[in-house]
Amino acid sequence: MKPEKFEYTTMAQRYTARYPLLTYLSIQVNFWIIANVLLALVISLYSRISSLIYGIHVMMELKSMLVMAVIAGIFYGVSYGLLAHYLERRFFRNLTLGKVILLKTLGSVVLLILLLLLLRHLFWNFYIDLASEKGTNLSNEIWDNVFYLLLVYYFFMAVLISYINQVNKKYGPGVLIPLLLGRYRHPREEDRIFMFMDLKSSTTYAEKLGHLKYSSFIRDYFDDINQLLLPFRAQVYQYVGDEIVVMWSEKEGLINNFCLMFFFACQQQFKTRADYYLNKYGIVPEFKAGLHSGRVSAVEIGEIKKDIAYHGDTINTTARIQSICNEHNKSFLISNYLLSKIELDPNIKIENIGNILLRGKSEKIEIASIEYIKNH
């Protein structure tokens, strides 16, 4: 059996879906280890320069400092990650990006102050005694300067790391690093599954709610869909008005029929949240979707606003499949090309729609509708 080719983005999405908290903590630990190692290198180089200039031997061993930097990075990364994860789930969902970064930074500074005070209480006297044995005097003034140095450094690193976290969140798991390394700088082919999901009766909803309340409604609608992305290993390609385009790598989308079950999970999500939508907006979202797969090209585009764009007939075909849902009075249509690759379970009902000539296409494509039927 041919071994599975390692693909960083796919693996990152798998682990994020299975272990979201552990993945988030590992990212924070890595960031803070890098930040601490950088600080240790700066201090080591500065101590060497001072020794050469003033002829004074400074008690700074790089190896010991690097070990301490890694240990501190793990401890602080886990502490900061748990704090940030808790705050984001409980308080940050409706805040602006600037406020999220500011509050995370302030939280990290408060956490740092508490940790430094704890370290001073536990270890400072030990270091004073150790330094005295070697003829060095460690005063409280030295501690104060070290304290303020770490506070300023960690403040700016917290701002930077919070910003990187938000950028990583924008692109989704496993995308930022390949983007930085130039993976999509030149067009590359990928096999992808696309789902175009469009809100039903959107014009009627917009007229009933008014544009401001309708925008709030769309935000809640997209937020609820977003809650299901990771469990079904899906990614958001783009938002277009009241339409959301979701995608999978073909291999990931076919696992456990994720590309199909995602649609039904969204339906269940809105049934579960029906009371919320009825109380706030007087309506419950209903949507239609088209699903198709094929080979597309992916490339990094833009200078002022960078993004990853996908091009190819697959995307146009998926959009056209979704556009005929109303015509056939169906909520979920799929191409037979993709359907032939899926192992269906007994709860999925298939109805053949036939060979359809889609708008803008020169050849007909065979399409089917899908429904999920629970066996009692």
Side-chain angles (χ1 to χ4, degrees):
M1 182 178 178
K2 188 178 178 180
E4 183 178 354
K5 182 181 177 182
F6 176 79
E7 215 283 317
Y8 171 76
T9 301
T10 299
M11 294 302 296
Q13 290 166 358
R14 285 182 184 178
Y15 281 103
T16 303
R18 292 177 185 175
Y19 316 107
L21 177 58
L22 185 60
T23 304
Y24 182 77
L25 291 180
S26 67
I27 291 172
Q28 306 317 305
V29 166
N30 287 330
F31 280 151
W32 285 108
I33 286 177
I34 293 171
N36 286 345
V37 167
L38 179 62
L39 179 61
L41 291 173
V42 170
I43 292 174
S44 177
L45 290 172
Y46 179 76
S47 66
R48 290 183 183 184
I49 293 171
S50 300
S51 298
L52 292 172
I53 293 175
Y54 301 108
I56 303 172
H57 175 68
V58 182
M59 189 176 57
M60 291 285 183
E61 293 185 7
L62 179 58
K63 185 177 179 180
S64 299
M65 291 180 63
L66 290 177
V67 172
M68 290 178 61
V70 171
I71 294 173
I74 294 172
F75 185 71
Y76 188 75
V78 171
S79 302
Y80 173 81
L82 289 172
L83 175 65
H85 184 76
Y86 172 78
L87 292 176
E88 190 156 332
R89 290 177 66 89
R90 293 294 299 271
F91 304 108
F92 289 170
R93 285 190 63 185
N94 296 321
L95 295 182
T96 62
L97 175 61
K99 287 183 179 179
V100 169
I101 293 176
L102 177 61
L103 290 174
K104 281 188 175 182
T105 302
L106 292 176
S108 71
V109 170
V110 171
L111 179 63
L112 175 65
I113 292 173
L114 294 175
L115 292 177
L116 288 176
L117 292 175
L118 178 63
L119 288 174
R120 178 174 185 177
H121 177 72
L122 294 176
F123 300 112
W124 184 243
N125 289 333
F126 169 77
Y127 277 109
I128 290 177
D129 295 338
L130 182 63
S132 297
E133 292 177 3
K134 297 190 177 186
T136 303
N137 182 32
L138 294 180
S139 64
N140 287 329
E141 186 178 357
I142 293 176
W143 166 261
D144 291 340
N145 284 297
V146 171
F147 176 82
Y148 291 123
L149 169 66
L150 293 176
L151 202 61
V152 171
Y153 178 77
Y154 269 64
F155 174 82
F156 284 104
M157 290 306 299
V159 172
L160 177 62
I161 290 173
S162 294
Y163 178 75
I164 294 173
N165 282 327
Q166 294 302 315
V167 174
N168 188 47
K169 193 174 180 181
K170 167 183 164 53
Y171 287 108
V175 178
L176 181 58
I177 290 179
L179 188 64
L180 292 175
L181 295 177
R183 176 185 173 90
Y184 296 101
R185 194 61 186 169
H186 302 286
R188 55 180 290 122
E189 288 188 326
E190 295 181 356
D191 292 318
R192 290 270 171 179
I193 298 173
F194 286 89
M195 176 183 287
F196 279 66
M197 299 178 66
D198 192 28
L199 190 67
K200 289 184 178 180
S201 306
S202 57
T203 303
T204 303
Y205 292 166
E207 291 175 352
K208 178 180 178 180
L209 297 174
H211 65 277
L212 290 178
K213 197 168 185 180
Y214 180 70
S215 293
S216 178
F217 170 76
I218 291 296
R219 180 198 62 201
D220 287 346
Y221 166 68
F222 285 156
D223 283 349
D224 276 333
I225 292 176
N226 271 251
Q227 295 297 314
L228 299 170
L229 292 173
L230 287 181
F232 292 89
R233 302 184 189 177
Q235 297 172 265
V236 173
Y237 172 39
Q238 57 186 198
Y239 302 97
V240 184
D242 51 34
E243 181 179 67
I244 180 172
V245 183
V246 181
M247 64 180 182
W248 296 260
S249 68
E250 187 171 89
K251 183 181 295 184
E252 291 294 287
L254 294 178
I255 295 174
N256 297 328
N257 293 336
F258 281 144
C259 62
L260 293 183
M261 303 312 296
F262 175 76
F263 177 87
F264 303 122
C266 289
Q267 285 185 324
Q268 185 59 46
Q269 174 83 337
F270 292 116
K271 287 180 182 178
T272 304
R273 298 257 292 161
D275 288 343
Y276 168 82
Y277 282 96
L278 288 173
N279 291 333
K280 189 171 183 179
Y281 303 108
I283 50 178
V284 178
E286 294 184 21
F287 52 92
K288 54 193 176 182
L291 191 67
H292 182 49
S293 71
R295 184 155 293 184
V296 294
S297 61
V299 65
E300 180 185 332
I301 60 170
E303 290 298 329
I304 303 300
K305 182 183 182 299
K306 287 189 177 294
D307 210 342
I308 299 172
Y310 291 87
H311 304 111
D313 182 66
T314 299
I315 299 173
N316 296 328
T317 300
T318 311
R320 297 291 183 256
I321 291 174
Q322 183 271 124
S323 69
I324 64 171
C325 283
N326 287 345
E327 179 182 336
H328 295 276
N329 196 29
K330 299 294 181 181
S331 295
F332 191 13
L333 296 179
I334 182 175
S335 67
N336 275 34
Y337 171 78
L338 175 56
L339 188 60
S340 65
K341 300 181 179 184
I342 296 174
E343 295 182 9
L344 299 175
D345 65 54
N347 292 328
I348 295 177
K349 177 185 175 183
I350 304 297
E351 180 184 340
N352 187 44
I353 301 298
N355 285 313
I356 307 296
L357 183 62
L358 300 172
R359 182 165 56 90
K361 306 286 291 182
S362 58
E363 296 182 2
K364 292 183 178 181
I365 181 172
E366 196 167 356
I367 295 173
S369 71
I370 297 183
E371 294 181 39
Y372 188 74
I373 302 173
K374 292 184 178 180
N375 292 328
H376 298 286

